[in-house]
Amino acid sequence: MPLPIAHSLIGASVVTLCRPRSPLKDDWRLFLFGAFLAVIPDFDFFLIWGLHLSREWHRGVSHSIFFALMLTGATLLVAGLSRTGIVLACGAAFLSHGILDFLSTRQGMGVELLWPFSDDRLKLGVVGISEFSHGINLIELVKASLIELIIFAPILLGALLVRKYLAQASTFQTGL
């Protein structure tokens, strides 16, 4: 179960690549928004605590591919076709949450990735990132946070480098 650190770095990485010809200084809000979108599916905890629902609600509907597609489609209807690239990138940032939970869960419940077509909880089970088997204490939380930074910060840096390369290539081609 990745922490918000991993989710936000992946979400920011996804939207970083959606406008490669735009200056980085113009898109910093978009990067933050992508990071925020990638964390939103875990807001189902507020429903669990506020409405006193079962913990089985976590990693359910909000983590599914279908929900991400419906949210992206609704946003596209509101934003319009002229913003298709940004909307799809933001939808991919949102979707990245359920996919990352699926890929990095070994212990406990998986993710209802295929809801509403299946209530099965899916998990790849190969690697467990930031999973706490005996509860969470501050030292384990700091350790897990550092591990996530070490793993996922290079992905964001790589996306930024790809974006910079694409921007330079575009400038080079238009300059010829």
Side-chain angles (χ1 to χ4, degrees), residues 59-79:
R59 293 182 155 195
V61 173
S62 65
H63 288 60
S64 72
I65 295 169
F66 182 79
F67 188 79
L69 291 174
M70 297 310 304
L71 187 65
T72 303
T75 305
L76 191 57
L77 287 174
V78 171

Side-chain angles (χ1 to χ4, degrees), residues 113-136:
L113 207 54
L114 302 177
W115 178 92
F117 309 105
S118 172
D119 291 337
D120 291 341
R121 299 260 177 176
L122 307 173
K123 58 184 175 181
L124 190 58
V126 175
V127 63
I129 298 175
S130 304
E131 293 185 317
F132 306 100
S133 56
H134 304 313
I136 301 173

Side-chain angles (χ1 to χ4, degrees), residues 39-143:
V39 176
I40 286 178
D42 276 345
F43 285 13
D44 60 5
F45 272 123
F46 293 123
L47 294 174
I48 292 167
W49 294 326
L51 300 176
H52 306 289
L53 299 173
S54 163
R55 282 189 57 93
E56 290 185 17
W57 275 85
H58 181 54
R59 293 182 155 195
V61 173
S62 65
H63 288 60
S64 72
I65 295 169
F66 182 79
F67 188 79
L69 291 174
M70 297 310 304
L71 187 65
T72 303
T75 305
L76 191 57
L77 287 174
V78 171
L81 293 176
S82 65
R83 299 190 181 259
T84 300
I86 292 174
V87 171
L88 291 178
C90 289
F94 185 89
L95 176 62
S96 72
H97 187 107
I99 301 293
L100 186 57
D101 280 359
F102 164 74
L103 293 172
S104 62
T105 298
R106 271 171 71 173
Q107 301 175 18
M109 296 188 312
V111 181
E112 283 187 30
L113 207 54
L114 302 177
W115 178 92
F117 309 105
S118 172
D119 291 337
D120 291 341
R121 299 260 177 176
L122 307 173
K123 58 184 175 181
L124 190 58
V126 175
V127 63
I129 298 175
S130 304
E131 293 185 317
F132 306 100
S133 56
H134 304 313
I136 301 173
N137 66 45
L138 184 59
I139 293 172
E140 286 184 10
L141 187 60
V142 169
K143 180 181 171 186

